[in-house]
Amino acid sequence: MTPGLIFFGTRSVTMSYKKGDYVCPDCGPTQYNWKRQRRFFTLYFIPLIPLDLLNEYVECQGCKSTWDTSILDSQGAIES
Ligand SMILES: [Zn+2]
């Protein structure tokens, strides 16, 4: 019997954490998309187990600028 090949590894996956309204320093009142990039353990290229958080940022839906997530603290972001 020969053991089958098992493909496993890690890969980073970016996903939307939450969205809401905020005031962009560049383009004014608009919507943000809070994104989180997390490393996943993959098996056969399918992300299975979430590992450490690599990065998180806020992307402006108006001008596509990216900001540190602390930008939402400063203005009491409206949750959606
Ligand atoms: Zn903007």
Side-chain angles (χ1 to χ4, degrees):
M1 291 293 282
T2 50
L5 276 176
I6 297 176
F7 293 97
F8 61 92
T10 60
R11 136 179 158 190
S12 72
V13 178
T14 304
M15 58 190 108
S16 188
Y17 170 53
K18 62 179 179 180
K19 296 176 181 182
D21 299 315
Y22 86 127
V23 181
C24 174
D26 275 1
C27 65
T30 182
Q31 291 194 309
Y32 68 84
N33 191 351
W34 183 329
K35 292 194 171 172
R36 281 182 162 172
Q37 194 176 29
R38 188 178 283 278
R39 200 192 331 258
F40 272 77
F41 174 82
T42 60
L43 190 62
Y44 295 103
F45 311 108
I46 300 162
L48 278 187
I49 304 166
L51 302 173
D52 49 327
L53 192 64
L54 298 173
N55 193 18
E56 62 180 335
Y57 58 90
V58 170
E59 184 189 77
C60 179
Q61 296 304 280
C63 63
K64 299 295 177 188
S65 294
T66 54
W67 311 99
D68 191 273
T69 55
S70 63
I71 196 170
L72 298 178
D73 299 336
S74 60
Q75 53 183 287
I78 308 132
E79 308 238 344
S80 66

